[in-house]
């Protein structure tokens, strides 16, 4: 079923790495579509985990940073899964339905999260975990014309709704869950559907005017906009406050894994470093130290080249300063800037 989708994508010019469309040979057009039209990104390689049964909300409430107990069917949120010492594992999007919660998680964290969640299900818990990754697909479209694209699918009621609000629709005979939000700061929507409909759904969206976009462009936009990613900004070295994922944290929700550390950091203003964008004068490798004079003040975690120059993400020591700070990154000069994903 997914192979049929890949065949259609390949025919449209897609090149693949580990079954992921890296580029459709149209990177400049895809970037333009995110600014003036609607680009279509295949997120099928991301993980989809379903948590069902009657204790599902309480269980997730106790496992991650956001408040699940207040979620009603049709609502959703971003949340961060952390270790017992509040080190970041993954940033996930949750969609609450009538009888389950569907988590959209990073591709390289799916197995770890399944194991982590399974470990915390106790005999009395009414919680069931199901890995839906192989039986579903996920697409996101990004750009100012995303709402018009949705209208062509017959959906009007999600316009101007809160982030992660979602609805199950029937589109061209297919059952598709549509959620508000593209996964980035660019406006858009995310679609989750049965894998059996993957090829047809993709074709219909392209026919409606969406411009296919590969993973390379997503990665560039991710870095430009400041979405932290596992293995780069989300590692054992950092916590959600340092990653500036403040919209995912509910401070008054009671106990959850990592809560004591996060509460202490917040109460005593103990955040020693924070994630920022860095406008760079040249190319530089992630992992390079960020310095002011002889003093190390941070580390570059991601790097990309954009049409307007070189750009990176870096953790910068809080006491060193923030936006407007002039720094060196290896032999390259840089200026610390804010990024839209972390300033929303």
């Amino acid at each position: 079923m997914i192979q049929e989708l890949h065949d259609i994508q390949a025919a449209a010019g897609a090149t693949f790495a580990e079954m992921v469309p890296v580029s459709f040979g149209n990177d400049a057009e895809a970037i333009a579509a995110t600014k003036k039209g609607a680009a279509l990104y295949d997120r099928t390689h991301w993980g989809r985990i379903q948590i069902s049964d009657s204790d599902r909300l309480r269980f997730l409430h106790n496992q991650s940073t956001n408040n699940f107990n207040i979620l009603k069917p049709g609502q959703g949120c971003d949340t961060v899964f952390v270790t017992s010492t509040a080190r970041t594992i993954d940033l996930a999007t949750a969609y609450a339905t009538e009888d389950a919660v569907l988590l959209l998680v990073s591709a390289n964290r799916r197995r770890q999260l399944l194991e982590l969640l399974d470990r915390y299900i106790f005999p009395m818990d009414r919680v069931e975990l199901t890995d839906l990754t192989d039986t579903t697909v996920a697409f996101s479209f990004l750009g100012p014309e995303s709402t018009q694209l949705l209208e062509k699918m017959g959906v009007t009621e999600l316009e101007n709704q809160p982030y992660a609000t979602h609805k199950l629709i029937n589109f061209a005979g297919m059952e598709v869950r549509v959620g508000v939000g593209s996964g980035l700061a660019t406006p858009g929507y995310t679609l989750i559907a049965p894998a059996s409909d993957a090829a047809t759904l993709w074709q219909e969206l392209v026919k409606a005017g969406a411009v296919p976009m590969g993973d390379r462009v997503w990665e560039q936009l991710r870095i430009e906009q400041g979405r932290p990613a596992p293995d780069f900004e989300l590692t054992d070295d950092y916590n959600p406050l340092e990653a500036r994922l403040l919209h995912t944290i509910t401070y008054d929700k009671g106990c959850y894994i990592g809560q004591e550390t996060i509460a202490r950091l917040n109460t005593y203003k103990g955040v020693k470093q924070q994630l920022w964008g860095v406008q760079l004068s040249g190319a530089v490798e992630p992992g390079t130290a960020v310095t002011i004079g002889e003093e190390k003040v941070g580390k570059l975690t991601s790097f990309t080249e954009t049409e307007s120059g070189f750009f990176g993400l870096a953790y910068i020591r809080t006491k060193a300063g923030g936006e407007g700070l002039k720094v060196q990154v290896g032999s390259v000069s840089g200026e610390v800037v804010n990024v839209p994903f972390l300033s929303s």
Side-chain angles (χ1 to χ4, degrees), residues 105-329:
V105 305
S106 301
N108 55 356
R109 287 295 183 267
R110 171 175 63 115
R111 294 189 192 286
Q112 185 180 346
L113 285 172
L114 279 164
E115 290 168 10
L116 179 81
L117 293 171
D118 189 54
R119 194 184 314 144
Y120 285 102
I121 297 175
F122 298 109
M124 297 297 286
D125 289 334
R126 292 183 169 180
V127 175
E128 190 174 327
L129 287 182
T130 312
D131 185 359
L132 299 182
T133 307
D134 293 336
T135 57
T136 58
V137 291
F139 304 144
S140 284
F141 40 88
L142 312 84
E145 291 187 3
S146 295
T147 299
Q148 288 94 308
L149 195 64
L150 211 57
E151 285 171 1
K152 289 182 184 178
M153 298 173 67
V155 183
T156 54
E157 56 268 59
L158 288 176
E159 188 174 1
N160 299 321
Q161 290 300 302
Y163 176 80
T165 300
H166 58 98
K167 182 178 171 58
L168 196 61
I169 65 155
N170 187 290
F171 171 58
M174 298 173 283
E175 223 176 46
V176 183
R177 186 165 300 282
V178 183
V180 177
S182 67
L184 295 176
T186 302
Y189 300 88
T190 295
L191 283 58
I192 297 172
S196 55
D197 293 327
T200 306
L201 180 58
W202 182 270
Q203 284 178 305
E204 289 293 332
L205 294 170
V206 172
K207 199 188 300 179
V211 177
M213 179 182 104
D215 196 54
R216 186 163 63 205
V217 173
W218 171 273
E219 184 65 6
Q220 178 186 320
L221 294 172
R222 175 192 81 74
I223 296 167
E224 276 187 288
Q225 297 187 11
R227 178 181 172 124
D231 297 335
F232 295 93
E233 292 78 32
L234 304 178
T235 72
D236 275 346
D237 295 325
Y238 310 110
N239 63 61
L241 291 168
E242 292 171 334
R244 289 172 65 202
L245 293 172
L246 305 184
H247 71 288
T248 70
I249 302 170
T250 305
Y251 293 108
D252 59 358
K253 60 174 270 188
C255 287
Y256 61 94
I257 293 171
Q259 180 260 341
E260 284 183 19
T261 302
I262 288 173
R264 193 165 59 245
L265 287 168
N266 182 55
T267 302
Y268 297 107
K269 307 288 182 259
V271 181
K272 293 186 169 63
Q273 56 192 342
Q274 289 182 294
L275 187 61
W276 292 92
V278 187
Q279 201 78 53
L280 298 159
S281 63
V284 64
E285 286 291 318
T288 303
V290 178
T291 57
I292 298 175
E294 298 296 308
E295 186 184 8
K296 181 181 176 182
V297 296
K299 185 172 87 169
L300 195 78
T301 52
S302 289
F303 169 81
T304 189
E305 186 175 354
T306 76
E307 59 269 37
S308 56
F310 303 97
F311 197 83
L313 293 175
Y315 279 97
I316 306 287
R317 200 184 305 154
T318 306
K319 286 182 178 175
E323 192 170 9
L325 188 69
K326 301 286 194 292
V327 294
Q328 281 289 122
V329 186

